[in-house]
Amino acid sequence: MEIFSKTSQMPETQPPQPQTTSDQSRCVLVCQHQSCLRNGSQETLKAFEDADIPNVKVEASGCLGQCNIGPTVRVIPDETWYYRVQPEDVEAIASQHLQGGKPVQEKLNPRIHPQFNF
């Protein structure tokens, strides 16, 4: 009877290590559909583009389904959703979240990121 030891012919395999967010490129999607456009999403998109944030791709998107609380901004792969984002909010999102890793609490979409105060 053969007993397998650590030095036997069975290969040792390591599970794949997940990449950290800092190794991944983020993408900021800014809704450019009708309701969001009426609320200034074109200017919000331009503010993100002008911010020139390292390792962050900024893209215009179609409807993100949050029409009455737009302009909507979605950050992936984080799956962080912001609502009513105006150009003056971009600096905080860029520095605090996209560079610092901490979402801007007051701009988090309450439908997707509910916050409870007891």
Side-chain angles (χ1 to χ4, degrees), residues 46-54 90-91 94 99:
K46 181 164 178 13
F48 272 108
E49 291 170 341
D50 291 347
D52 193 30
I53 311 156
V90 172
E91 184 180 340
Q99 294 174 329

Side-chain angles (χ1 to χ4, degrees), residues 2 8 13 16-17 22-24 27 31 47 49 57 67 72 82 85 98-99 105 108 111 114 116:
E2 186 176 339
S8 71
T13 58
Q17 297 298 312
S22 61
D23 294 335
Q24 297 176 350
C27 184
C31 181
E49 291 170 341
K57 182 178 178 182
C67 300
T72 297
Y82 292 108
V85 180
L98 300 172
Q99 294 174 329
Q105 294 292 321
L108 289 176
R111 293 178 180 163
F116 301 98

Side-chain angles (χ1 to χ4, degrees), residues 18-26 55 75-78 97-98 101:
Q19 292 182 332
T20 62
T21 310
S22 61
D23 294 335
Q24 297 176 350
S25 179
R26 286 190 175 113
N55 298 320
V75 180
I76 52 177
D78 307 35
H97 179 181
L98 300 172

Side-chain angles (χ1 to χ4, degrees), residues 48 69 71-75 80-85 93 97-98 102-109 113:
F48 272 108
I69 57 172
T72 297
V73 172
R74 178 180 173 198
V75 180
T80 303
W81 292 64
Y82 292 108
Y83 78 121
R84 296 186 178 138
V85 180
I93 294 171
H97 179 181
L98 300 172
K102 185 177 179 203
V104 178
Q105 294 292 321
E106 55 274 1
K107 296 308 287 187
L108 289 176
N109 184 319
H113 305 287

Side-chain angles (χ1 to χ4, degrees), residues 27-32 45 48-49 57-61 76:
C27 184
V28 173
L29 301 172
V30 183
C31 181
Q32 297 297 294
L45 174 63
F48 272 108
E49 291 170 341
K57 182 178 178 182
V58 176
E59 291 185 2
S61 79
I76 52 177

